[in-house]
Amino acid sequence: MSVLLAFAAAFLFATGTWMLLQRRLSRILIGVGLVGHGSNILLLMSGGDGGVSPIIDTADPSEFADPLPQALVLTSIVITFGVTAFLLALGFRSWRITHDDVVEDDVEDRFIARRHETDQAIAEEELAERDQAVEEGRR
Amino acid sequence: MSEPSNAPASHGTLARSRRMMLLDTSMKVLYPSILVLAMYFLLAGHNRPGGGFVGGLVVGGALALRYVSGGAQAVRSTFRLPPHLFLGLGLLMSASTAFVPVVLGGSILEHGDTTFHLPIFDKVKVTSALPFDIGVDLIVIGLILMAFAAFGEDVPDAPGAADDGSDAPSPALKIRSKP
Amino acid sequence: MNALIPLPIIVPLLGASLCVIAARARWIQRIVSLSALTCNMIVAITLFVRVDDRDMVVMQAGGWPVPLGITLAVDRLSAVMLVVSSLMLLAVMVYAIGQKAEESRYAAFNPVYLVLAAGVSASFITGDLFNLFVAFEMMLVASYVLLTLGGRPDQVRAGMSYVVISLIASTFFVTALAVIYAATGTVNMAQLAERMPELPPGVATGFSLLLILVFGIKAGLFPLFFWLPDSYPTASGAITAVFAGLLTKVGVYAIIRTQTLMFPPDARQGTLLLVLAGLTMIVGVLGALAQDDLRRMLSFHIVSHIGYMIFGLALFTLAGVAGAVFYVVHHIIVKTALFLVAGLVERRSGSDRLSRVGGLVRSAPVIAVLFALPALSIAGLPPFSGFVGKFALVSAGIDSQDWLIVGVSLLVSLLTVYVMVRIWSNVFWGEPEDPAIVAWIASEESRVPRLMTASASVVVALSVALMVFAGPLYNYAERTAADLLAPQRYIESVLGSDAP
């Protein structure tokens, strides 16, 4: 059982990571969800071997499965769920603005990169002009 | 609660042709029973499976059913109170219940329980964690209502030219005050 | 006295609920949030005085015995972080009201801001690793909303990458929790501290690395910082200020807390952290040099200074950790001040592009003074607190004979001065060439609301006060460092002295 869960977690991590590396926002969203589920399964497994559901008065406490990871994983699922919902809302908004779901580049980054290029272009131009002037002076 | 089919065909209501009679009819049975189930979960959840969060989610499921059958208008007309009141009151209730034991000299989130003997129900165990659970329940319901209010409206199938990102905020976000 | 411990979490949450209920009445929201944050500040100061005077205070949530319940504990480090964060949260709230931007436009601002405050306090107070995760999420979810509140295209784009990165970090956190619980059977930090040495050293080291990865993303450590300068500047002035001042420092706090408390000396990542610290400093300051947008420049600059804090911690000596604690406190206040003043600059000149604005020293001398003081402090010029912090760190580095990092930190100091000078000469000297900017400065609209200037001045005054009280604060930082490096007292206070 535990091996199966471990494989499930590994599979979710692997596919999720693959999806996260895509450029499409929708895939990134799916990837985030998959990786989140993978980590939740891992957390669920951390309690060790399974047992009877830990509900008071239903069985002997010594047979119980460890209840703490279950509580933790519930919290973590709720949080992942909430944030994923927020991300979906944000993606929806982004789609309404851009009509596309490709993650855009940072405008400012491109601006700075371009500034470097234009600086270089200007410098080269000036250099060329100076060379020309020198040439003309020689003549 | 309003009858979705009698509601005026205003913004957010499904057109009569798009509604499913089977679903509408079964809703009359399903909706109350789901709410009863939610109530059970809310009250059972101390030492047994259930609790405020689960109860709230089940109510959310019932609301989702209403949405499928009657559109955003049906969800909006479910409760008289605006969604943000549910959220606020729920948070207020949970946070203050968590803090009451500190005032009484205990530690945060501490709770006790007591058992009553009532005529019909016989033994009834009441815990002081119940208001906390009700608060959580209200938070979840409020959030689900807000989500339906914000994203429940039909969106144009293709993003139109007029939709340039400066669209009017959806009702849930339209809580404005006078400056 | 113990009743005070949960207040910094509960009071903002209660305030948030009232703000949600009063969503249609902005003045009620304002009264509620200001009084909640003031109350928070008073509680924090009381706790600070009490903790420094006597001993740390501990509360077990739900009255459950130690390993079962959630531990809330305030020691010297938590106390000082609480005080500084509550001061900044209050000042920024006042600034946000004065700014009349997001705060007056969206009913969601006040409640979400209070949830952020609760999350920040919870991160400092909790003594439970899983609860730390929950507190982080509370803070982060609130920050997602605040960052994208305007819904502008650039905010949505930046918010998207911010949320995805944070979510990935959270996933790593859950993964770390899972493996740590599987190996030790507890998530209580004090108990973890007891059980960590029993693990094989390799396993403990692995956990240590995993947690550094998680908190490094939140703190903006070297290879993991790229999201920070991209996302922070897109929010409005007040929100950027509170993000810049507090959020990354919560990550730094978590690194300091987990590294010193939980891990035995052989599982601590001193060398790795030193290398990361050096690279963080250099990359951050070089990034800042390349920018043209004032707030973006300052955001890169945060990254650079995170490096200093990690440098102090990575030495794991009394002087080093004390320097790191001092630097964190200094940096929260000074960086918040700088961002608040950057907001004033943007308001006054209508732009925050260095290449477009200019001449503010004549048109807005008050803003110029307000900028100069924290800028000199962050550049590390004597006698400001930045100098004290850097001096403490550098001398700790010399004591440990880590010459390379000392050299790097001195070089980065110089570059920091250059960055500040560049801002100064572009923004405050010269003349704006752009006619739109000239027209804006001359117009009535460009007058900065008094409330904004007032709250920015208070934070600047605090940053100057740090210089005056640098001595006592450094002594406090040294006591904190002594506590941190001898975690036995923390463990005993949490678990009770009769614990095995």
Side-chain angles (χ1 to χ4, degrees), chain C residues 173-255:
Chain C
F173 203 166
V174 175
T175 311
L177 281 163
V179 288
I180 287 176
Y181 185 77
T184 60
T186 181
V187 284
N188 184 302
M189 287 202 241
Q191 225 174 11
L192 278 173
E194 279 194 326
R195 294 191 187 168
M196 215 46 103
E198 296 162 11
L199 294 177
V203 178
T205 309
F207 292 164
S208 170
L209 287 174
L210 204 48
L211 287 180
I212 288 177
L213 172 69
V214 172
F215 300 133
I217 295 179
K218 321 251 177 191
L221 216 52
F222 161 61
L224 314 164
F225 67 88
F226 43 84
W227 56 271
L228 191 153
D230 178 20
S231 56
Y232 279 12
T234 54
S236 79
I239 297 171
T240 317
V242 80
F243 283 12
L246 288 179
L247 294 199
T248 45
K249 257 59 80 183
V250 179
V252 173
Y253 164 85
I255 294 180

Side-chain angles (χ1 to χ4, degrees), chain A residues 9-78:
Chain A
F11 180 72
L12 285 172
F13 268 112
T15 48
T17 312
W18 169 252
M19 290 302 238
L20 274 175
L21 297 175
Q22 309 288 312
R23 188 88 202 200
R24 297 243 156 228
L25 197 59
S26 43
R27 298 195 180 180
I28 293 177
L29 282 171
I30 296 172
V32 164
L34 289 176
V35 173
H37 287 311
S39 63
N40 285 341
I41 289 184
L42 205 63
L43 188 58
L44 195 63
M45 278 163 60
S46 67
D49 291 336
V52 186
S53 334
I55 302 170
I56 293 182
D57 300 335
T58 55
D60 185 35
S62 60
E63 293 169 14
F64 281 169
D66 189 349
L68 188 71
Q70 302 186 3
L72 301 188
V73 87
L74 179 62
T75 315
S76 146
I77 286 173
V78 172

Side-chain angles (χ1 to χ4, degrees), chain C residues 136 139-140 162 165-166 169 211-232 243-255 273 275-285 287 298-311 331:
Chain C
F136 259 110
M139 179 180 92
L140 286 173
Y162 177 62
I165 297 285
S166 306
L211 287 180
I212 288 177
L213 172 69
V214 172
F215 300 133
I217 295 179
K218 321 251 177 191
L221 216 52
F222 161 61
L224 314 164
F225 67 88
F226 43 84
W227 56 271
L228 191 153
D230 178 20
S231 56
Y232 279 12
F243 283 12
L246 288 179
L247 294 199
T248 45
K249 257 59 80 183
V250 179
V252 173
Y253 164 85
I255 294 180
L273 281 176
V275 173
L276 290 184
L279 289 171
T280 311
M281 285 184 212
I282 296 175
V283 173
V285 84
L298 291 174
S299 299
F300 260 107
H301 206 255
I302 303 173
V303 176
S304 156
H305 280 238
I306 296 291
Y308 279 97
M309 302 163 203
I310 301 302
F311 156 40
H331 192 256

Side-chain angles (χ1 to χ4, degrees), chain B:
Chain B
M1 223 185 286
S2 79
E3 273 307 303
S5 50
N6 294 342
S10 66
H11 189 52
T13 328
L14 285 185
R16 204 167 274 268
S17 59
R18 285 178 59 196
R19 307 191 60 150
M20 285 172 284
M21 207 183 90
L22 198 61
L23 184 64
D24 282 4
T25 317
S26 46
M27 270 295 289
K28 291 197 172 101
V29 184
L30 276 177
Y31 183 65
S33 10
I34 296 177
L35 288 190
V36 171
L37 180 69
M39 195 57 112
Y40 165 76
F41 276 137
L42 172 64
L43 295 176
H46 185 57
N47 280 342
R48 338 202 97 256
F53 185 73
V54 178
L57 283 185
V58 174
V59 176
L63 290 173
L65 256 182
R66 274 180 82 85
Y67 175 68
V68 174
S69 97
Q73 179 59 36
V75 178
R76 221 177 297 139
S77 62
T78 312
F79 300 104
R80 290 267 173 80
L81 294 175
H84 69 267
L85 269 189
F86 279 88
L87 187 65
L89 286 174
L91 189 56
L92 185 66
M93 207 155 163
S94 295
S96 38
T97 318
F99 189 64
V100 165
V102 180
V103 178
L104 299 176
S107 67
I108 185 169
L109 286 171
E110 205 168 334
H111 57 269
D113 51 57
T114 166
T115 310
F116 291 107
H117 284 275
L118 292 180
I120 305 172
F121 299 96
D122 192 28
K123 237 170 60 177
V124 175
K125 190 167 149 192
V126 178
T127 73
S128 62
L130 188 62
F132 185 84
D133 266 340
I134 296 175
V136 174
D137 197 279
L138 288 177
I139 293 175
V140 177
I141 296 174
L143 277 178
I144 286 169
L145 284 174
M146 284 176 108
F148 275 119
F151 300 104
E153 309 287 352
D154 272 353
V155 220
D157 290 329
D163 191 17
D164 58 351
S166 61
D167 50 342
S170 45
L173 308 173
K174 220 190 277 170
I175 311 160
R176 300 270 171 87
S177 72
K178 295 175 203 104

Side-chain angles (χ1 to χ4, degrees), chain A residues 32 66 106 108-109 112 115, chain C residues 167 181 230 290-291 296 353:
Chain A
V32 164
D66 189 349
D106 187 357
E108 185 76 19
D109 256 2
I112 286 162
R115 200 175 56 166
Chain C
L167 207 52
Y181 185 77
D230 178 20
Q291 304 304 313
R296 216 177 144 86
R353 295 226 157 266

